[in-house]
Amino acid sequence: MPGLTGRPSMGAAALAGIAAIGVAAGAVGARRRDLGPAFHDVASELRAPLLVLGHGPTGAPQPIAPESFTGMMRLTSQGRVFPRRLGREQVIDSGGRSLRLWLYETSARRDAGPTGALIWMHGGGLVAGSAAQDHALCSRIAREAGILVVSVEYRLAPEHPYPAAIDDVWAALQWIRMSAPALGVDTSRLAVGGASAGGGLAAALAQRCRDEDVDLAFQMLVYPMLDDRTGSGGVDVPGRGDFVWTARQNAESWQAYLSHPSGEPEERLWAAPARREDLAGLAPAWIGVGDLDLFLDECVEYARRLETSGVPVSLRVEPGMYHGADICQWARSMRDFRAESIDALGRALRRD
């Protein structure tokens, strides 16, 4: 799979995204028949150039480099329609190595006294991506929820397999807790969140918080990557993963992170969140996913298991939505999808 053994610079990723958009923009209309029957299940307002990613010249599904999707995410965060970004860089020490964070907050929040905080983790299949791709989203969350958002530049596989990523986001959480007075953060109102692989890391971090007796108020899980057994061996899941993120990509990314083929026995704590048997005592969660997403079944099952374990959970399954489609903010359904996640977070972290 391209991108696993050598990732391009973010500049190269952005160029890959530009190239993908340029090719796709002229192809969707002409190739809709080639995209297969699943195309007709896509909501009409989401039939965007992004759909062509993962499909070769004949329309047959093909693996794509994760950095192509990352480049598109970065480009959507840099348009003029978005408000000015609030992020500032912070480098902390994490076990003798430097860990880069991005902090987002409004001046009003700093003047308001202690507020809640969100530790955010970007997507990219655990093998690609950067905090930079979520600058606009993190800025929006900081503005609308009135909280501090801390986005983590965690290490990526295969150069840094498990447990590097979970150790990095844990270090970020510990830094926030220790620095809470200076940051103006109420440690009783901490949340974790992320999209795709970042959502899976957020779920794993929530599990680690429970195991380490660290209070956590909320999990914001946006189409999270939870289960390495989904599409193990690259076997297609009928009706799922036809667009953007395929079973083959999923299997290869999990293998890079876990250092063994996906679907093989895995008992290490926090490696694959869906593998955990006991979910009791975890923080309340919001989980959102599309019904065409490869992760649909694992997200629905995880929500069911949380509920059965007594954990408050809200699940949104969006009809006609494929993986990552919430970048299509021109679509009313995707504006509502994203707004619901932020509203749920805000309510969870609001002072009584």
Side-chain angles (χ1 to χ4, degrees):
M1 174 179 174
L4 288 184
T5 57
R7 288 184 304 279
S9 66
M10 286 309 296
L15 290 175
I18 292 171
I21 292 173
V23 171
V28 170
R31 285 181 43 196
R32 59 179 60 189
R33 293 181 182 177
D34 296 331
L35 293 176
F39 175 82
H40 301 287
D41 295 326
V42 175
S44 59
E45 60 183 357
L46 300 180
R47 294 176 183 178
L50 189 61
L51 286 172
V52 177
L53 290 180
H55 290 76
T58 65
Q62 293 186 355
I64 61 170
E67 60 268 12
S68 296
F69 181 56
T70 299
M72 294 187 72
M73 294 285 286
R74 285 197 74 206
L75 289 170
T76 63
S77 74
Q78 295 177 14
R80 295 181 181 179
V81 297
F82 293 105
R84 182 177 61 84
R85 295 184 293 276
L86 303 174
R88 71 177 190 276
E89 189 175 11
Q90 175 80 44
V91 178
I92 66 171
D93 178 74
S94 174
R97 60 174 297 276
S98 295
L99 176 63
R100 188 167 64 147
L101 313 175
W102 284 89
L103 278 61
Y104 305 82
E105 62 180 335
T106 64
S107 57
R109 188 209 80 88
R110 289 193 295 269
D111 297 337
T115 69
L118 169 70
I119 299 91
W120 178 262
M121 287 138 269
H122 67 81
L126 299 167
V127 298
S130 166
Q133 71 196 43
D134 290 334
H135 279 341
L137 176 58
C138 289
S139 294
R140 175 181 174 180
I141 295 171
R143 289 178 187 276
E144 295 187 9
I147 61 174
L148 175 69
V149 178
V150 178
S151 184
V152 187
E153 198 74 76
Y154 58 87
R155 287 170 290 173
L156 301 172
E159 291 89 343
H160 304 286
Y162 171 90
I166 186 64
D167 284 349
D168 284 349
V169 297
W170 174 254
L173 175 63
Q174 293 297 84
W175 176 80
I176 293 170
R177 295 177 70 233
M178 291 186 295
S179 307
L183 293 172
V185 167
D186 177 355
T187 57
S188 69
R189 290 185 285 159
L190 293 178
V192 297
S196 193
L201 271 179
L205 183 55
Q207 294 178 0
R208 186 164 182 173
C209 284
R210 197 205 73 167
D211 294 342
E212 302 281 3
D213 294 322
V214 171
D215 289 336
L216 194 66
F218 193 67
Q219 306 177 64
M220 179 182 178
L221 309 181
V222 183
Y223 38 83
M225 181 178 175
L226 300 165
D227 197 338
D228 65 294
R229 295 165 295 189
T230 297
S232 60
V235 177
D236 290 339
V237 179
R240 316 275 190 264
D242 285 273
F243 307 108
V244 180
W245 192 252
T246 66
R248 179 175 175 179
Q249 284 177 283
N250 200 52
E252 294 183 345
S253 294
W254 272 114
Q255 179 168 341
Y257 181 62
L258 298 176
S259 301
H260 64 69
S262 63
E264 288 192 350
E266 176 56 73
E267 298 180 355
R268 293 173 293 179
L269 286 174
W270 324 308
R275 295 273 196 164
R276 187 186 186 99
E277 294 184 3
D278 180 14
L279 302 182
L282 292 175
W286 181 93
I287 301 175
V289 66
D291 69 352
L292 303 181
D293 198 310
L294 180 69
F295 299 154
L296 172 65
D297 294 339
E298 64 188 70
C299 288
V300 171
E301 175 64 9
Y302 197 70
R304 184 197 66 77
R305 292 179 57 216
L306 286 172
E307 185 174 43
T308 301
S309 300
V311 177
V313 58
S314 177
L315 172 67
R316 175 170 180 149
V317 176
E318 184 65 34
M321 178 184 177
Y322 47 89
H323 192 74
D326 57 328
I327 70 170
C328 303
Q329 285 294 290
W330 61 80
R332 179 188 293 274
S333 61
M334 295 298 92
R335 293 197 300 273
D336 290 346
F337 180 90
R338 190 165 283 184
E340 181 179 309
S341 68
I342 298 172
D343 289 345
L345 171 70
R347 290 194 302 272
L349 299 188
R350 190 174 298 127
R351 182 184 288 113
D352 294 333

